[in-house]
Amino acid sequence: LVLLWLSLFALAWGAAFIGLSHGPEIIFSIEGSLMAIAIVAAWAKFGRRYIPGKALLMAPLYVAWKLPLYAAFIVRRQTAWVRTKRDTV
């Protein structure tokens, strides 16, 4: 959902850059701020014991690292089943 918000925010920013309305850009900025506040508040209330703050700050980098994998999934869809190799028991 955050990636969807980010793409729509980038689209709104691009539209405002070429001279269209700044309304969607402002709305998506407010939504992003509220989303960030909600994530930090939920972490502070429920996740601080399980997830260190440093790991929470690394989450955007992890998602950026995964973006090529997501793009490859959209461009080259896997149609055949690939069996995972497992140790014999």
Side-chain angles (χ1 to χ4, degrees):
L1 289 175
V2 174
L3 287 175
L4 178 63
W5 167 82
L6 187 60
S7 6
L8 291 173
F9 176 72
L11 185 66
W13 187 85
F17 183 74
I18 63 170
L20 298 176
S21 174
H22 286 278
E25 181 184 13
I26 293 168
I27 290 171
F28 282 122
S29 297
I30 293 169
E31 287 177 355
S33 300
L34 291 173
M35 188 169 32
I37 290 169
I39 290 170
V40 170
W43 170 78
K45 176 76 175 171
F46 302 107
R48 189 182 303 181
R49 198 171 7 160
Y50 306 106
I51 303 170
K54 193 173 187 179
L56 190 65
L57 292 174
M58 296 297 288
L61 296 175
Y62 176 76
V63 171
W65 175 59
K66 289 288 190 175
L67 282 177
L69 179 69
Y70 301 148
F73 177 75
I74 292 170
V75 174
R76 292 177 287 136
R77 299 218 28 128
Q78 179 179 339
T79 56
W81 177 58
V82 179
R83 185 178 177 105
T84 304
K85 294 181 181 180
R86 304 198 190 278
D87 295 336
T88 57
V89 179

